């Protein structure tokens, strides 16, 4: 998927190479029953489900095997085990999730996740995930923001890494084939069904055509579009949602972007650390937020839930402190855990302790400087959560690539939960769809022509020698979104952002790629197209939703509007993106009862 795609003319030769459609292009062809795009937790769990049902998928990832973005999820994974709070159950987990999502979550998605998570945790435990334990041997659980009970299971502050290691080990024990360092740039689709995918090997530069009747997108989200974010710069650029949209699927609720309250402050720790996550586990273990005057300001904004209120509430509180001049000279506030015992901090937060020690800060003695950072995309592909189906036959999606579980704001600890709870369901469902009636590699000529046109377009992109670098264009896009679709938004600011986005698109016609197809410059040039598409959907949704709900805060419409309890759908029209809305279903009776009870975290249990 590149900024410009030439039209294809002429016929195809018998071996599938282009004749007069354009210069001949060489490529590898791979035929598989199921192609899983994304090698993080969601993709791995789907693949395990397929293999356990007798279907051998091929899993492809953009990085080395085991180096997916899941490893950056630190604090924990939710399940109503009741290890410490036996009154907790899945209906309360679902109620907390709906409340945090301001009730525009897909209730079925929420209930499936909450109901299945205890079994998924026990499964991960059986597979060897080294969960922290209580003194009596139960899986330990900690408080996370806006959760009524201690529900977040953890492995210190490296939960995502431990979980991915466990899933990869399980997948390898099943002999699931992986292919690393491959980027998918286009799905092969006629809008009604999918036929495979086109991409390139990022190490060799070779083009690869994947023939498959079943493609599962598990490629992550799009929070790295912002200039301050908690992702690697070359991850979470929106490729999953953009690929699905181009293939004929719908996106949903793209305006909802979670700004995590505690990202590192680049002016203090260096540009390479700007926006990097300081895990919510620090606050879950009793960390306190202080302004430059030493005031524990959450007492003013949320006296009951304090630092463990919802992420959107805490992020806006920090933003308010900064706007009113009570931030540090580096543009942050302080997060202090030093009142806890030194050994407790080192055992519960080993990664945070080691990271800050490397930067010359002993968090057992001194506070960290933090400020909000773009962290997670609640919006994504619209799917059926029992099946992963997108509405395009043979195309499925799962994980942060999709929308629905989290609504207007994600409950901390639910991202990892969604990957394995829904990933298991999708794996089982897709396996049942693989039959002897599949094409077995017989790619229609029209789809082969699309793939070859894509390869020629990528080759042209590689040769681009204009004046605009993809690095600068992406940086300017990040600045644009932070300024015009950040924590605070207005109709005026979002509309101005859309106008700037049009100008930015025009600049891509003068792009320059420094290096061949194995270079980072080329990778970022491909990312740019995905990012521009997702940024447009985000801005359009933010302008259309003229209310404030969860992570979407419109300063010119600061209240929740009951009439806006609707999802915004985005589809690819003939010439532009088209937006429609859809009402939200009601939760089940048992979850509605838990909502009505109004369970709520009392932060002061920690003190």
């Amino acid at each position: 998927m590149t900024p410009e795609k030439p039209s294809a003319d002429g016929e195809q030769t018998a071996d599938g190479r282009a004749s007069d459609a354009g210069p001949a292009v060489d490529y590898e062809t791979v035929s598989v029953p199921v192609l899983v795009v994304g090698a993080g937790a969601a993709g791995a769990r789907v693949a395990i489900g397929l293999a356990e049902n007798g279907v051998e998928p091929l899993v492809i990832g953009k990085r080395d095997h085991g180096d997916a973005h899941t490893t950056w999820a630190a604090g924990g994974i939710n399940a109503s085990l009741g290890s410490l709070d036996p009154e907790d159950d899945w209906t309360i987990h679902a109620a907390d999730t709906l409340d945090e999502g301001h009730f525009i979550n897909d209730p079925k998605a929420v209930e499936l996740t909450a109901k299945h998570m205890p079994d998924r945790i026990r499964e991960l435990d059986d597979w060897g995930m080294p969960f922290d334990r209580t003194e009596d041997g139960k899986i330990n659980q900690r408080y996370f923001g806006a959760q009524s009970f201690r529900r977040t299971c953890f492995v210190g502050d490296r939960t995502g890494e431990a979980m991915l290691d466990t899933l990869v080990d399980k997948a390898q024990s099943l002999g699931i084939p992986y292919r690393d360092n491959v980027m998918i740039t286009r799905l092969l689709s006629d809008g009604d069904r999918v036929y495979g995918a086109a991409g390139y090997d990022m190490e060799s530069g070779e083009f690869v055509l994947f023939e498959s009747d079943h493609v599962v997108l598990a490629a992550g989200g799009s929070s790295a579009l912002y200039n301050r974010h908690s992702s690697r710069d070359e991850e979470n650029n929106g490729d999953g949602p953009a690929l699905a949209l181009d293939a004929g699927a719908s996106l949903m609720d793209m305006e909802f972007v979670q700004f995590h309250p505690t990202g590192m402050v680049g002016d203090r720790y260096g540009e390479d650390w700007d926006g990097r996550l300081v895990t919510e586990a620090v606050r879950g273990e009793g960390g306190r937020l202080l302004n430059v005057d030493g005031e524990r300001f959450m007492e003013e904004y949320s006296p009951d839930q304090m630092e463990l209120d919802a992420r959107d509430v805490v992020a806006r509180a920090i933003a308010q402190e900064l706007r009113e001049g009570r931030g540090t000279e580096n543009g942050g506030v302080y997060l202090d855990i030093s009142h806890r015992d030194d050994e407790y901090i080192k055992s519960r937060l080993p990664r945070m302790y080691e990271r800050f020690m490397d930067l010359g800060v002993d968090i057992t003695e001194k506070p960290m400087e933090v400020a909000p950072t773009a962290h997670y995309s609640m919006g994504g592909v619209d799917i059926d959560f029992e099946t992963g189906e997108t509405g395009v036959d043979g195309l499925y999606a799962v994980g942060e690539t999709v929308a629905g579980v989290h609504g207007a704001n994600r409950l901390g600890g639910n991202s990892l939960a969604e990957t394995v709870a829904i990933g298991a369901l999708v794996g089982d469902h897709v396996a049942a769809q693989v039959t002897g009636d599949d094409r077995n590699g017989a790619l229609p000529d029209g789809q082969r022509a699309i793939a070859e046109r894509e390869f020629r377009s990528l080759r042209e992109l590689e040769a681009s020698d204009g004046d605009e670098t993809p690095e600068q264009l992406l940086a300017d896009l990040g600045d644009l979104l932070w300024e015009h679709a950040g924590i605070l938004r207005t109709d005026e600011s979002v509309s101005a952002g859309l106008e700037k986005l049009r100008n930015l698109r025009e600049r891509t016609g003068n792009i320059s790629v420094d290096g061949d197809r194995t270079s980072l410059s080329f990778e970022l040039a491909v990312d740019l197209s995905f990012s521009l598409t997702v940024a447009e959907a985000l801005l359009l949704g933010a302008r259309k939703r003229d209310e404030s709900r969860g992570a979407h805060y419109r300063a010119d419409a600061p209240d929740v509007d009951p009439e806006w309890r609707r999802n915004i759908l985005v589809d690819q029209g003939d010439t532009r993106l088209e937006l429609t809305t859809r009402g939200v279903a009601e939760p089940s009776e048992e979850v509605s009862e838990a909502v009505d009870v109004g369970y709520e975290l009392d932060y002061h249990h920690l003190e």
Side-chain angles (χ1 to χ4, degrees):
M1 189 174 185
T2 50
E4 297 293 337
K5 292 187 173 60
S7 60
D9 301 307
E11 300 296 327
Q12 302 298 307
T13 60
D15 66 355
R17 301 297 191 266
S19 55
D20 58 336
V25 58
D26 293 324
Y27 54 88
E28 176 189 4
T29 300
V30 177
S31 298
V32 291
V34 182
L35 180 68
V36 179
V37 181
R45 189 59 187 84
V46 169
I48 290 168
L50 287 161
E52 290 183 330
N53 281 283
V55 175
E56 182 178 270
L58 174 63
V59 180
I60 58 175
K62 290 192 294 186
R63 303 289 169 250
D64 292 339
H65 191 33
D67 189 29
H69 205 268
T70 304
T71 61
W72 285 42
I77 177 171
N78 293 337
S80 55
L81 297 181
S83 297
L84 300 176
D85 299 316
E87 60 269 47
D88 193 19
D89 68 28
W90 76 268
T91 64
I92 305 173
H93 181 185
D96 285 350
T97 302
L98 290 167
D99 185 62
E100 176 80 339
H102 293 258
F103 296 94
I104 61 164
N105 327 55
D106 178 337
K108 180 169 70 172
V110 171
E111 294 184 22
L112 285 170
T113 301
K115 186 178 292 186
H116 284 274
M117 270 316 299
D119 285 343
R120 297 287 75 79
I121 290 292
R122 287 186 279 267
E123 179 179 73
L124 288 166
D125 189 35
D126 289 343
W127 292 348
M129 186 165 170
F131 288 108
D132 281 39
R133 301 278 174 173
T134 64
E135 291 183 358
D136 58 357
K138 296 178 181 177
I139 293 173
N140 207 349
Q141 298 185 279
R142 59 170 41 131
Y143 281 117
F144 249 37
Q147 303 211 49
S148 300
F149 298 104
R150 288 168 287 187
R151 183 182 297 133
T152 305
C153 312
F154 59 95
V155 181
D157 57 356
R158 61 175 196 91
T159 309
E161 178 184 346
M163 186 169 111
L164 186 61
D165 288 347
T166 302
L167 292 170
V168 168
D169 287 348
K170 178 64 176 179
Q172 289 179 333
S173 75
L174 295 169
I176 295 171
Y178 278 69
R179 182 158 176 172
D180 303 333
N181 299 296
V182 172
M183 179 182 279
I184 296 301
T185 63
R186 177 182 280 274
L187 298 181
L188 304 181
S189 168
D190 57 14
D192 294 319
R193 68 162 301 161
V194 72
Y195 298 89
Y200 73 100
D201 188 303
M202 301 168 74
E203 292 187 318
S204 69
E206 182 180 23
F207 295 130
V208 188
L209 188 159
F210 295 95
E211 299 176 331
S212 183
D213 282 318
H214 308 280
V215 177
V216 182
L217 283 174
S222 51
S223 60
L225 271 63
Y226 287 80
N227 64 357
R228 291 199 79 247
H229 59 83
S230 60
S231 302
R232 286 185 284 207
D233 288 342
E234 65 274 16
E235 301 280 356
N236 284 335
N237 301 108
D239 47 348
L243 287 167
L245 181 68
D246 184 62
S250 298
L251 306 185
M252 186 173 82
D253 292 345
M254 296 301 293
E255 67 274 22
F256 291 115
V257 178
Q258 183 168 79
F259 297 94
H260 197 288
T262 56
M264 296 175 68
V265 177
D267 287 346
R268 167 72 185 276
Y269 300 111
E271 184 178 346
D272 290 344
W273 291 99
D274 192 27
R276 290 278 289 272
L277 186 66
V278 177
T279 173
E280 188 164 320
V282 176
R283 288 176 288 129
E285 299 295 352
R288 299 167 178 172
L289 288 167
L290 309 172
N291 63 24
V292 74
D293 299 322
E295 298 168 332
R296 194 176 178 189
F297 57 85
M298 287 310 297
E299 292 176 344
E300 298 296 323
Y301 297 95
S302 180
D304 293 327
Q305 295 180 303
M306 299 290 284
E307 286 84 4
L308 288 182
D309 205 333
R311 288 177 174 179
D312 61 317
V313 174
V314 181
R316 281 196 295 274
I318 294 173
Q320 186 70 18
E321 292 294 301
L322 298 179
R323 278 196 304 275
E324 295 182 1
R326 293 187 291 275
T328 68
E329 64 180 13
N330 298 312
V333 297
Y334 295 117
L335 175 61
D336 190 11
I337 189 72
S338 64
H339 56 282
R340 300 303 301 257
D341 179 76
D342 290 6
E343 291 306 315
Y344 184 90
I345 294 171
K346 293 174 184 178
S347 65
R348 292 296 188 102
L349 303 166
R351 177 170 288 177
M352 289 293 101
Y353 174 76
E354 292 166 6
R355 176 191 295 178
F356 280 93
M357 282 296 288
D358 288 343
L359 294 169
V361 177
D362 184 347
I363 66 172
T364 68
E365 298 180 356
K366 297 180 180 180
M368 300 155 266
E369 281 190 58
V370 296
T373 183
H375 179 57
Y376 192 88
S377 312
M378 277 76 73
V381 185
D382 181 31
I383 67 166
D384 179 287
F385 274 84
E386 287 182 305
T387 66
E389 293 176 356
T390 64
V392 177
D393 191 21
L395 179 61
Y396 313 86
V398 68
E400 195 178 350
T401 295
V402 311
V405 171
H406 311 296
N409 199 35
R410 178 171 68 80
L411 194 69
N414 267 358
S415 58
L416 292 181
E418 178 189 5
T419 62
V420 290
I422 305 302
L425 295 174
V426 173
D428 290 345
H429 175 76
V430 176
Q433 311 313 304
V434 179
T435 69
D437 296 330
D438 291 342
R439 290 175 297 104
N440 295 320
L443 190 68
D445 286 344
Q447 295 301 314
R448 187 173 297 278
I450 290 173
E452 293 178 348
R453 187 173 70 215
E454 175 71 2
F455 296 146
R456 288 194 297 275
S457 181
L458 291 170
R459 192 162 58 186
E460 291 176 7
L461 180 64
E462 178 187 11
S464 300
D465 61 352
D467 298 322
E468 300 275 7
T469 67
E471 292 88 346
Q472 187 60 55
L473 290 167
L474 284 167
D476 290 349
L477 177 61
D479 290 341
L480 183 163
L481 288 175
W482 192 265
E483 178 182 357
H484 296 283
I487 296 175
L488 299 179
R489 306 166 176 181
T490 64
D491 179 81
E492 182 180 2
S493 73
V494 173
S495 296
L498 282 164
E499 182 60 34
K500 288 184 179 180
L501 186 67
R502 283 190 282 270
N503 295 333
L504 192 59
R505 280 190 182 278
E506 291 178 3
R507 291 168 55 194
T508 65
N510 191 31
I511 199 170
S512 174
V513 172
D514 182 16
D516 60 16
R517 291 194 294 271
T518 66
S519 68
L520 177 60
S521 178
F522 181 78
E523 177 186 344
L524 295 179
V526 175
D527 283 338
L528 180 62
S529 177
F530 299 135
S531 298
L532 289 170
T533 296
V534 171
E536 183 177 3
L538 191 165
L539 286 161
L540 287 170
R543 183 172 65 178
K544 188 173 183 66
R545 186 176 291 279
D546 54 351
E547 65 155 356
S548 292
R549 187 182 293 265
H552 170 71
Y553 188 84
R554 283 275 297 266
D556 54 348
D559 298 322
V560 174
D561 182 352
E563 298 299 319
W564 257 113
R565 188 173 170 244
R566 303 183 66 81
N567 301 120
I568 296 178
L569 299 173
V570 182
D571 291 283
Q572 181 65 65
D574 292 337
T575 59
R576 61 186 176 84
L577 298 183
E578 298 178 349
L579 273 61
T580 56
T581 68
R582 181 179 69 199
V584 181
E586 297 298 325
S588 66
E589 183 176 347
E590 52 193 333
V591 171
S592 295
E593 290 175 356
V595 169
D596 291 341
V597 170
Y599 297 94
E600 188 173 81
L601 164 73
D602 181 355
Y603 172 86
H604 302 286
H605 286 164
L606 282 173
E607 298 183 324

